């Protein structure tokens, strides 16, 4: 018997998430330090400059903007990170969740 949820269970979780039915735990915000804000803003500017061709592309521009605003932006992503962890805890119980936690820890280096 697999520890993974069935496709039906995964579909139900996605449906519940989309309708706001899953219970969320309170998340403590992690305000960025001035250095962290500086580094994130620098990274966004560097990526925008280095990949200006992709950013201006009709095909790749939306994905590039997503990375600049939703991955590297100088803002607190505590809520997003908690929701990702909550969702993956359902989809990948136990050891599978460790990879998600490790990835999120990498983003917490400057907090």
């Amino acid at each position: 018997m697999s520890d993974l949820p069935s496709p039906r269970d995964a579909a139900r979780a996605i449906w519940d998430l989309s309708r706001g039915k899953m219970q969320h735990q309170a998340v403590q915000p992690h305000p960025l330090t001035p250095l962290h804000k500086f580094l994130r803003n620098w990274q966004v500017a560097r990526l925008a400059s280095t990949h200006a061709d992709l950013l201006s592309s009709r095909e790749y521009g939306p994905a590039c903007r997503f990375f600049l605003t939703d991955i590297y932006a100088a803002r607190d992503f505590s809520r997003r990170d908690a929701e990702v962890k909550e969702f993956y805890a359902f989809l990948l119980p136990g050891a599978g969740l460790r990879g998600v936690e490790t990835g999120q820890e990498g983003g917490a280096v400057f907090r």
Side-chain angles (χ1 to χ4, degrees):
M1 178 105 173
S2 173
D3 288 337
L4 295 176
S6 71
R8 182 184 195 117
D9 291 336
R12 171 55 63 188
I14 292 169
W15 176 256
D16 288 347
L17 279 173
S18 72
R19 299 188 43 96
K21 290 185 177 179
M22 291 189 81
Q23 297 295 319
H24 298 293
Q25 294 182 0
V27 175
Q28 293 295 326
H30 295 285
L32 302 178
T33 67
L35 176 60
H36 196 187
K37 285 181 186 178
F38 172 81
L39 289 173
R40 290 230 180 155
N41 285 327
W42 175 83
Q43 179 74 337
V44 166
R46 185 190 70 78
L47 288 169
S49 175
T50 301
H51 302 290
D53 57 333
L54 294 174
L55 192 56
S56 65
S57 162
R58 200 181 102 200
E59 185 176 3
Y60 300 109
C64 291
R65 284 187 288 285
F66 167 78
F67 274 86
L68 297 179
T69 61
D70 290 42
I71 303 294
Y72 295 108
R75 63 182 208 228
D76 180 18
F77 289 112
S78 300
R79 167 52 57 199
R80 177 204 64 192
D81 293 347
E83 289 174 355
V84 167
K85 187 175 177 181
E86 179 182 329
F87 186 69
Y88 276 96
F90 174 80
L91 292 179
L92 303 169
L97 183 58
R98 186 66 197 135
V100 172
E101 291 171 338
T102 300
Q104 288 181 337
E105 289 167 4
V109 170
F110 296 107
R111 288 190 202 146

